[in-house]
Amino acid sequence: MGVALILFLLSQVSPTFNLRAVDTPNDAGGSITLTWEIPEGLEHIDRLEIYRSESPEGPFEKIKTYLSPVTRFEDMGLKNGKDYFYKVVITSGGETIESEIAGPVISRPQWFHKGRVTILFGVLIYTLILLYFILSAKKGKELYLRPIAGLKALDEAIGRATEMGKPILYVPGLSTISDVATIASINILSHVTRKIAEYETKIIVPNRNPVVYTVTREVVKEAFTSAGRPDLFDPDSVFYVTDSQFGYAAAVSGIMIREKTATNLFLGMFWAESLILAETGASTGAIQIAGTDAVTQLPFFITACDYTLIGEELYAASAYLSKEPVLRATLKGQDAMKFLLGLLLILGSAFGLFGITWFQKLF
Amino acid sequence: MHLAADPWVWVAAILTLFIFTFLYKDNPLYKFAEHLLVGVSAGYYLAIYWHNGVKPNIIDHLGQGQLIYLIPLILGLMFFTIFIPKTSYMIRWPIAFLLGAGSGLSIPATFQANIAEQIKGTMLQPLSFYYSNAALINAIILFVGVLTVLTYFFFSKEHKGALYTTARIGIIFLMIGFGASFGYTVMARVSLLIGRLQFLLGNWLGIIPSW
């Protein structure tokens, strides 16, 4: 290998790396991307090291070592607006070859992610569609929505708990407040609580996330107030349990058994605890309605619950339950968007099959 | 049979058995294990929140004189106004911020990952026919599945006529998917049980080789 390297060095006095260092595009800054080529004739490398310095004279600090001939590296965690210099050093058969120094290069954040222009257009089109349907609803246009079995059963389930004189358990999922499923669940909680205030039933809302707890507490309090029964709000009925997934599952299972809840509502984001909760609830004979967008947990809810809201049915629930024209209009907008996406799918496939690829590249 | 000498293995094994007693019915042993787990985990996560959240994201930055971090600190402290009835209305401000910022952040990412990428991946292209007949069949199943499942989730039209047929095909696709997912996840859960039994029989009782 040493002989090969000497021959290589003789044949090429200055091996070309074509080292390029550029500010990583479409990012929030703090990153520089390096690309280079492995010099021609070099068949094997023992080690490839990347060095960085704040001055072309050095000192250069080793920031990464590879044992394979990679040709790209993204240096992250850098300070924005500062000059950086780089070089690559390859060790082969005990000999070292140094690249030219690349730089100065400065890392900067970008205001726009150029790769997401299609997304921007998508969001704008969706917003326009939504606005159209909302304005139509405001003008008094009748908007039809097909019935969803799980939502029709919600009032019945609350009524059943009232007749039995037993509480209703509402589990708002185990995710954070920024999860769409959690937000959808909180909207449903508001409707459920208003019904509960009407029927004077008890509700239990155990929470896994502290922030979700504060929101659900406020929602329940507000719903009792808006239903004209602030006196029925029990601050102890909405509480934080623990962040531990299975600790939470153990506690909620215990609540179902001890409080003998007549109705269990599992609406939101769930993980592996879904079957534990749904099975325990089923063993108590409670009527159970579940809803989640977690594809892997839906089968468990479908098998162990009386009704299950699948994916988008959960998101649609608040619009259904509130019967507010504006909210119903958003569902119409979503349907129009789904139709448009289906159309794009068919068009893209047709173009693709005829070898026209620009359309698919838009996504 | 070599019983474990480590007292913590005994604690873990006994608590595991306490939890398993729930399979018979609710009882004081399960209640003890449940309350212990909830209490210990709540305390543990409080420490985690402090060391992984508050300290590196707020305290350390403020210590370096980066006063911009006072904004999240104040927003965070507003959550505690819940304990003071007169100021409890202020809790709505950080909640509004969280919901607004959360939605704003997640909408482009959701569009990219759950819509654009999925559509791109579902579109038929000459490459779909290139590798094998099986790949072609897969691509067609995926294409038909996505379109028909989309029609199932149409809420503004009654499922009648052609829409009824496509929605029915869509729900069949969904149920086949859920069935496959069910079997797969049950297998994963069984492996969790096996892991626990290996702990009891191996690490604790020493009947089987421990791992």
Side-chain angles (χ1 to χ4, degrees):
Chain A
M1 181 49 67
V3 177
L5 184 71
I6 291 163
L7 286 172
F8 161 77
L9 289 172
L10 286 172
S11 65
Q12 286 192 320
V13 177
S14 170
T16 318
F17 280 76
N18 286 329
L19 176 63
R20 289 185 68 227
V22 292
D23 174 29
T24 305
N26 302 321
D27 71 350
S31 167
I32 288 171
T33 301
L34 306 177
T35 54
W36 62 89
E37 292 163 13
I38 303 295
E40 276 179 36
L42 196 63
E43 289 170 1
H44 170 78
I45 67 160
D46 296 324
R47 207 165 56 245
L48 188 150
E49 291 162 339
I50 300 157
Y51 288 81
R52 178 182 62 209
S53 170
E54 290 172 12
S55 148
E57 285 83 31
F60 278 87
E61 176 199 357
K62 185 161 71 183
I63 53 171
K64 189 78 185 173
T65 302
Y66 287 105
L67 300 174
S68 56
V70 295
T71 55
R72 191 178 184 280
F73 173 69
E74 193 177 333
D75 189 13
M76 291 187 283
L78 302 171
K79 282 184 182 169
N80 291 326
K82 197 170 184 178
D83 286 348
Y84 287 101
F85 298 85
Y86 292 89
K87 68 178 180 182
V88 173
V89 176
I90 290 178
T91 306
S92 177
E95 304 291 336
T96 57
I97 318 161
E98 244 183 65
S99 76
E100 60 279 17
I101 291 168
V105 60
I106 296 167
S107 161
R108 286 194 181 92
Q110 278 77 50
W111 279 95
F112 292 100
H113 191 310
K114 287 176 190 163
R116 289 195 172 169
V117 173
T118 313
I119 302 299
L120 177 68
F121 276 108
V123 173
L124 283 176
I125 290 168
Y126 183 39
T127 310
L128 287 174
I129 291 172
L130 279 181
L131 279 175
Y132 167 75
F133 281 103
I134 288 171
L135 290 174
S136 299
K138 280 189 172 173
K139 282 178 188 167
K141 194 178 172 185
E142 198 64 35
L143 300 171
Y144 170 80
L145 292 178
R146 73 169 170 83
I148 295 176
L151 293 174
K152 277 174 81 179
L154 206 56
D155 288 352
E156 183 194 316
I158 299 169
R160 183 176 181 260
T162 312
E163 281 169 13
M164 294 174 76
K166 289 178 179 175
I168 293 167
L169 175 74
Y170 192 101
V171 180
L174 278 79
S175 192
T176 58
I177 195 70
S178 53
D179 196 314
V180 183
T182 311
I183 297 170
S185 176
I186 287 167
N187 284 333
I188 303 169
L189 174 63
S190 175
H191 170 83
V192 167
T193 311
R194 264 186 236 130
K195 274 278 167 210
I196 284 170
E198 213 176 286
Y199 295 165
E200 296 186 18
T201 316
K202 190 184 169 195
I203 187 170
I204 302 170
V205 189
N207 292 277
R208 184 203 179 187
N209 185 285
V211 179
V212 174
Y213 153 67
T214 53
V215 179
T216 53
R217 192 179 184 278
E218 280 301 296
V219 165
V220 170
K221 190 179 168 186
E222 174 71 32
F224 272 115
T225 309
S226 65
R229 296 303 306 270
D231 55 305
L232 287 180
F233 173 63
D234 174 12
D236 294 334
S237 64
V238 187
F239 51 93
Y240 167 77
V241 181
T242 171
D243 252 90
S244 161
Q245 182 190 10
F246 290 106
Y248 179 82
V252 174
S253 298
I255 290 167
M256 282 189 258
I257 299 284
R258 283 161 222 149
E259 299 287 336
K260 296 183 172 47
T261 52
T263 299
N264 299 330
L265 305 173
F266 307 113
L267 301 164
M269 180 66 194
F270 293 86
W271 284 279
E273 72 294 332
S274 65
L275 187 58
I276 300 172
L277 298 176
E279 271 297 314
T280 309
S283 73
T284 64
I287 185 167
Q288 303 199 105
I289 301 174
T292 184
D293 56 1
V295 179
T296 48
Q297 307 312 321
L298 274 166
F300 297 122
F301 281 141
I302 289 169
T303 46
C305 295
D306 299 283
Y307 296 96
T308 307
L309 301 174
I310 301 170
E312 210 187 333
E313 289 176 348
L314 173 70
Y315 307 153
S318 58
Y320 261 92
L321 296 169
S322 71
K323 294 187 174 65
E324 262 186 52
V326 171
L327 280 178
R328 291 169 86 91
T330 61
L331 272 188
K332 283 275 185 187
Q334 284 175 34
D335 274 5
M337 193 65 185
K338 274 177 261 177
F339 180 75
L340 191 66
L341 291 173
L343 211 60
L344 289 175
L345 196 57
I346 294 167
L347 268 177
S349 295
F351 280 140
L353 291 175
F354 284 105
I356 303 165
T357 54
W358 63 265
F359 190 78
Q360 296 192 356
K361 282 179 185 163
L362 287 175
F363 292 90
Chain B
M1 186 169 167
H2 301 285
L3 286 176
D6 186 346
W8 293 112
V9 172
W10 279 79
V11 170
I14 289 166
L15 286 172
T16 300
L17 293 177
F18 280 9
I19 290 285
F20 280 0
T21 61
F22 190 67
L23 292 170
Y24 170 58
K25 66 174 193 178
D26 191 31
N27 62 76
L29 298 177
Y30 174 77
K31 275 182 199 166
F32 172 75
E34 174 204 323
H35 292 162
L36 188 69
L37 177 57
V38 170
V40 168
S41 61
Y44 173 74
Y45 277 97
L46 185 68
I48 292 280
Y49 276 130
W50 175 261
H51 288 288
N52 291 356
V54 180
K55 193 173 175 295
N57 294 329
I58 302 281
I59 308 289
D60 290 353
H61 289 292
L62 286 175
Q64 291 162 9
Q66 295 169 291
L67 296 180
I68 191 87
Y69 286 89
L70 278 172
I71 296 170
L73 176 68
I74 291 166
L75 279 171
L77 288 174
M78 279 180 183
F79 276 103
F80 293 97
T81 58
I82 199 170
F83 298 114
I84 311 159
K86 266 190 174 178
T87 58
S88 63
Y89 68 93
M90 286 168 76
I91 195 174
R92 292 170 186 212
W93 300 349
I95 289 172
F97 179 84
L98 266 176
L99 287 175
S103 305
L105 280 170
S106 65
I107 285 171
T110 307
F111 248 84
Q112 179 79 44
N114 294 349
I115 297 178
E117 291 297 330
Q118 300 296 329
I119 289 211
K120 192 178 173 182
T122 310
M123 281 177 187
L124 295 170
Q125 46 187 305
L127 209 63
S128 312
F129 302 85
Y130 185 74
Y131 294 110
S132 63
N133 287 338
L136 169 65
I137 292 166
N138 278 345
I140 292 171
I141 289 174
L142 192 65
F143 179 75
V144 174
V146 169
L147 276 181
T148 53
V149 168
L150 260 182
T151 60
Y152 171 76
F153 286 107
F154 270 106
F155 299 115
S156 53
K157 283 258 183 282
E158 203 170 345
H159 287 173
K160 271 183 179 173
L163 193 62
Y164 172 80
T165 311
T166 53
R168 288 299 295 176
I169 297 170
I171 199 75
I172 291 168
F173 266 103
L174 277 176
M175 290 305 151
I176 291 171
F178 290 152
S181 175
F182 186 88
Y184 177 76
T185 317
V186 165
M187 287 303 290
R189 303 294 158 81
V190 170
S191 77
L192 284 176
L193 176 66
I194 291 169
R196 216 59 217 151
L197 292 177
Q198 276 181 330
F199 169 75
L200 290 175
L201 299 175
N203 298 48
W204 182 42
L205 296 176
I207 296 170
I208 60 170
S210 57
W211 53 286

